[in-house]
Amino acid sequence: MLGAHSEATRLLESILHDFPHSELAPDDMIELGQIQRHHGDLRQALTRLHELRLAYPAFTKLRTVQLQLADIYFSLGESTEAINFYEPLVEDHHS
């Protein structure tokens, strides 16, 4: 299974490298973050998802990205960072 993880990661990174301005790039970045998270590469997943937030601030799935960041920080025991990402989601939900 690790081989499939490595191959998927390599393929997505290659696509992002070759087509950095593709309309699919943000979705590819989410997918990479999910693969990295699933395989325990939590710091790499955080890096990828933060890159996505900075590069595509108007991305339609930014709330999903924010929730993933919060969940990863929570998994790492970094409660303050997790709360920083959870709070806006809860506030938006109650608005």
Side-chain angles (χ1 to χ4, degrees):
M1 191 66 149
L2 186 59
H5 163 248
S6 297
E7 182 62 21
T9 299
R10 187 196 62 72
L11 180 61
L12 286 169
E13 287 176 346
S14 175
I15 291 169
L16 286 169
H17 180 267
D18 293 344
F19 306 101
H21 303 293
S22 165
E23 65 185 37
L24 299 176
D27 288 308
D28 288 349
M29 291 174 85
I30 284 180
E31 190 65 29
L32 258 175
Q34 289 176 340
I35 290 169
Q36 291 164 330
R37 181 179 176 194
H38 179 74
H39 288 279
D41 298 331
L42 300 181
R43 294 287 174 197
Q44 278 298 113
L46 284 174
T47 298
R48 182 63 65 185
L49 294 171
H50 279 297
E51 287 173 356
L52 174 94
R53 287 181 63 236
L54 293 173
Y56 302 95
F59 182 49
T60 59
K61 298 177 187 172
L62 214 48
R63 290 177 54 84
T64 299
V65 172
Q66 190 168 337
L67 180 58
Q68 288 181 13
L69 285 164
D71 288 345
I72 293 169
Y73 278 119
F74 184 79
S75 295
L76 290 169
E78 297 182 25
S79 301
T80 302
E81 284 298 320
I83 290 168
N84 288 338
F85 284 98
Y86 283 132
E87 277 184 338
L89 294 171
V90 172
E91 289 169 2
D92 287 348
H93 181 71
H94 290 294
S95 296

